[in-house]
Amino acid sequence: MKKVSPPQCLQNAFDANNLGHIDVFEFPDGTRSAADAANAIGCDISDIGKSLVFMTEAGKPVLIIMNGADQVDLNKVASLIGLSIRKADANEVREHTGYAIGGVPPFGHVHPVETLIDAKLLAKKTIWLAAGTPKTVFALSPDELRNVTGIETGVTIAA
């Protein structure tokens, strides 16, 4: 593990949200999946906040941030937003966020993306999140994640 600089979009988001104290770490074996990240960091898989991109039937992206141990319940999300959703493909993820699958951070995207956060994740003491590449992560408190995203209350979206 070594300390590295985040991609510029993510660094800009850190700076804009008074998160200059956040360290980004790179793991040579990768952190592409929640399980990979938990193994590399040495934490429980539920401490990983995975950022998953879905597309609505209207063609708009929705970012879902949830703990690494759970799966998204598509029906619950569709009920919350009033539109059916499907998992975004690799090109759609990169187009809307600027990042590749496995490295999407929860903010600092090239375009604004509607975001939902699962309530169970916000109950954690520390949340580990992707930092722009499939090998980099950073940690935030739930309050820091709430402040940056503007989402005060999580929703129940786990299957």
Side-chain angles (χ1 to χ4, degrees):
M1 159 180 78
K2 70 176 179 178
K3 200 157 95 167
V4 297
S5 298
Q8 194 60 53
C9 278
L10 185 55
Q11 183 63 57
N12 292 346
F14 286 163
D15 293 344
N17 290 283
N18 299 315
L19 295 174
H21 63 282
I22 298 296
D23 290 325
V24 172
F25 298 100
E26 180 180 66
F27 291 88
D29 292 335
T31 56
R32 185 172 200 68
S33 71
D36 292 341
N39 286 335
I41 296 163
C43 67
D44 189 83
I45 194 169
S46 67
D47 294 331
I48 303 299
K50 55 186 178 182
S51 297
L52 306 170
V53 181
F54 292 83
M55 299 298 295
T56 69
E57 62 189 274
K60 293 186 71 174
V62 176
L63 178 72
I64 296 175
I65 307 168
M66 63 186 315
N67 86 63
D70 290 334
Q71 300 297 315
V72 174
D73 183 324
L74 299 178
N75 292 325
K76 285 181 183 175
V77 174
S79 178
L80 284 168
I81 65 173
L83 295 168
S84 64
I85 63 167
R86 63 169 173 79
K87 204 164 204 175
D89 66 33
N91 290 332
E92 291 167 326
V93 171
R94 187 174 291 281
E95 174 188 345
H96 293 289
T97 68
Y99 302 98
I101 291 173
V104 178
F107 50 82
H109 307 131
V110 295
H111 302 292
V113 179
E114 179 181 354
T115 301
L116 300 172
I117 303 175
D118 190 72
K120 283 169 66 176
L121 186 64
L122 293 176
K124 294 293 187 175
K125 181 179 178 187
T126 300
I127 305 166
W128 287 92
L129 302 143
T133 76
K135 292 186 174 192
T136 57
V137 294
F138 66 99
L140 287 180
S141 71
D143 285 342
E144 289 169 323
L145 184 59
R146 282 184 188 98
N147 289 339
V148 175
T149 62
I151 297 171
E152 288 298 317
T153 306
V155 292
T156 302
I157 50 180

